[in-house]
Every structure is written in structure tokens, then in C-alpha cells.
Amino acid sequence: MNVVMKGEELMEALPANVFAEKVTEVQHYTDRLFRFRITRPASFRFRSGEFVMIGLMVDGKPIYRAYSIASPSWDEEIEFFSIKVPGGPLTQHLQKIEIGDVILMKKKPTGTLVNDALIPGKRLYMFSTGTGIAPFASIIRDPETYEKFEDVILTHTCREVSELKYGQDLVAQIKDDPLIGEMAEGKLRLFNSVTRDDFPIKGRITDLIENGKLFEELGVPPLDPAVDRGMICGSMEMIRDTKILLEERGLTEGANNRPAEFVVERAFVG
Ligand code: A2P
């Protein structure tokens, strides 16, 4: 049986580039998805949309994976949204965490899914599947997003209806939030589709871009590099296929040191 190290024993084994933080909240959505929050070290700074390596000590060795930070940079805690992979080196243990347990977090966040990597535009599309919604959970709670864009569209596609709940709850909370709610009013829209359950809008986001259903439903013109900006996060295949569609429509990929019309990230963990 694997032993997950906790408490004092763990603190002594920690290298200087790692924080040890306590779990403050855990919420399970389905047998594949859960969300958790940890304490935030006072010195930890990040830009909304970035990821960080988080891990657990298992059998005396740390196991880390890259996780997008799902909370906004102003939040007092750090939130993550995770998949549970049966037998996954990290997630088979991570899915069992409880309040008070210790999570390891490397000190240096990084990532390309940040506002700085996009040139100014009118409409921001955040295309996500599965846990790929995590970085966007941060970005849609960041006031800068609403300062930079008139129209903020989060698309979230999952296999099953129950997997949409995290994003739906989040958008509902934002609308009720005294600060962000006002900024997001009339700007933030959530577009959901499902691929393996009955749902009003069925299909992969790639198909809905290609057949125009996405734009029809939103009541907006098709993608236009002059005004539209994009961020993509999902499985490797989803990122690849969505990126091709954006490029075919004239958008170019940007980076931190070379902002352009869209950026991509990967959010898969094992
Ligand atoms: P599908 O059910 O047709 O595979 P996953 O949990 O496997 O990451 O999938 C999350 C969602 O992403 C599912 O709705 C899945 O659709 C969809 N998906 C998987 N591969 C792609 C792809 N290459 N392009 C667009 N969507 C995809």
C-alpha cells in the first residue's frame, strides 16, 4: 500500500522551492471530477490563467503534476479543479484528500493562457473541455478581463451533463458577486455543449465552430481576427483540432513575449 506522508514528517523533507499548504475545502462532482482549495502562502503571486506544479509525497517520493490555478489572483486561497484517473500516479491519491491534509506546491507559476499574451480585441473566447475549464475559472474572475473585452464567452464541453456543474455554479456565483458581478454583467456568457448525453446543444466544440452553431446560438458573427481573441484548454487532441480551426480563420498564435490573437494550453494530468 502507498503511504501518503503528512504533517511534521513531511515539513522536514521539504526542499526550498516548495510550499506545503493545507486543504481547506473539497467538493466532488462526479466519479471523474472534483475541486479543492488550499491555503495561499503570503508570498505566492501569479497571473490569472497560469499553472503550477502541485503534488503529494507518496512512498517517500514527491509526485507532481501541472495544475492550472482556478482561483483569481486576488483570492485568499488557491483553488484547483481535477480529474480522477483510476490508477493515475497523482490523482489516485489526490482524490482522497480531506480538509487539513497537506498539498505540496512548487513556488514558481507559469503559463501562456494569460491576458498579456493576447493583443487587444473586442470579444474573448475561452474554449474548454473537461478540466480544461480550470484556468478560465481564474480568468473570468479577474477584473482585467472585463476591462480588456466587451464580450467574454466561455465555452465548456463535456461528455456528460453532470460534468458541466463546476462551470455553471461558478458563473452563477460571479453574477451574484458584488465586485466582479457588476463588471461581468452583460459581458460574461457561458456556452455549454455535451457529447455523450442528451442536452439542448450536442457536439464537440470543433464541430460547433465548423458548422456555425456556436455563433448562431450566441448571436455573433463568425470568428474574425480583427476583433476576436481566443484561448484554448483541453486535451492534447482538442487543443490541436481547435487551434487548426482558429488558424484557418486567420487568427495567429501568441505567447508572452509575442502577443497575438489566440493562445493555447494543455490541462491533462494523471
Ligand atoms: P467526445 O465525447 O466526442 O470524445 P475528455 O473528458 O475525453 O477530455 O473529453 C471532454 C470533451 O472533449 C468531450 O465532450 C469530448 O468529446 C471532447 N473532445 C475529445 N476530443 C476532442 C477533440 N479532438 N476536439 C474537440 N473536442 C474533443
Side-chain angles (χ1 to χ4, degrees):
M1 204 182 94
N2 292 316
V3 179
V4 178
M5 229 195 258
K6 294 184 181 178
E8 297 296 309
E9 192 189 16
L10 174 67
M11 301 298 184
E12 279 169 27
L14 266 193
N17 66 337
V18 175
F19 293 117
E21 297 304 314
K22 289 229 160 95
V23 175
T24 58
E25 200 181 326
V26 185
Q27 184 179 0
H28 292 268
Y29 292 92
T30 67
D31 56 1
R32 295 210 312 142
L33 295 173
F34 72 115
R35 160 187 92 92
F36 61 97
R37 291 171 73 84
I38 62 171
T39 51
R40 177 174 177 172
S43 63
F44 183 69
R45 296 273 173 275
F46 65 97
R47 292 180 297 170
S48 298
E50 286 191 314
F51 67 84
V52 69
M53 304 300 290
I54 63 168
L56 287 173
M57 202 66 106
V58 180
D59 285 340
K61 280 194 232 118
I63 299 180
Y64 289 100
R65 288 292 181 272
Y67 268 79
S68 292
I69 300 170
S71 45
S73 46
W74 49 260
D75 203 335
E76 282 171 15
E77 294 180 335
I78 310 271
E79 181 172 306
F80 299 101
F81 183 48
S82 179
I83 193 137
K84 306 173 198 175
V85 181
L90 177 62
T91 63
Q92 66 168 310
H93 303 294
L94 195 62
Q95 65 180 279
K96 297 191 193 119
I97 53 167
E98 290 172 4
I99 291 173
D101 285 353
V102 173
I103 299 285
L104 305 178
M105 182 172 76
K106 294 215 177 150
K107 293 189 176 174
K108 208 181 162 337
T110 183
T112 52
L113 284 188
V114 290
N115 266 325
D116 297 348
L118 293 177
I119 53 176
K122 179 177 166 205
R123 184 173 297 118
L124 175 64
Y125 283 96
M126 289 164 278
F127 299 105
S128 70
T129 54
T131 54
I133 193 175
F136 304 140
S138 177
I139 291 167
I140 62 172
R141 289 185 270 185
D142 186 337
E144 194 193 331
T145 306
Y146 302 100
E147 284 159 14
K148 276 188 87 166
F149 296 97
E150 281 173 34
D151 208 2
V152 176
I153 296 165
L154 170 59
T155 84
H156 191 210
T157 302
C158 291
R159 296 179 189 186
E160 296 168 15
V161 175
S162 58
E163 296 174 329
L164 301 174
K165 185 169 165 55
Y166 176 72
Q168 291 173 337
D169 285 355
L170 191 69
V171 169
Q173 278 162 20
I174 289 174
K175 298 211 158 146
D176 285 342
D177 185 279
L179 170 71
I180 303 296
E182 205 169 298
M183 301 188 80
E185 172 96 53
K187 291 192 173 184
L188 174 63
R189 286 193 279 171
L190 175 64
F191 173 90
N192 280 143
S193 74
V194 166
T195 50
R196 304 190 192 184
D197 263 351
D198 273 343
F199 194 69
I201 302 174
K202 281 202 75 166
R204 290 184 169 192
I205 191 62
T206 40
D207 294 335
L208 301 171
I209 293 173
E210 273 195 300
N211 64 23
K213 185 123 203 240
L214 171 68
F215 312 107
E216 229 172 81
E217 288 289 334
L218 293 168
V220 297
L223 287 174
D224 174 357
V227 291
D228 291 328
R229 303 292 168 256
M231 292 181 166
I232 312 171
C233 194
S235 66
M236 244 194 314
E237 295 75 26
M238 177 274 186
I239 290 173
R240 180 199 60 208
D241 294 349
T242 312
K243 177 181 145 104
I244 292 171
L245 294 179
L246 265 52
E247 284 173 343
E248 283 173 358
R249 283 153 185 78
L251 283 77
T252 50
E253 186 176 351
N256 276 283
N257 57 357
R258 186 178 29 86
E261 286 112 14
F262 78 94
V263 282
V264 310
E265 185 97 289
R266 289 140 225 282
F268 41 88
V269 293

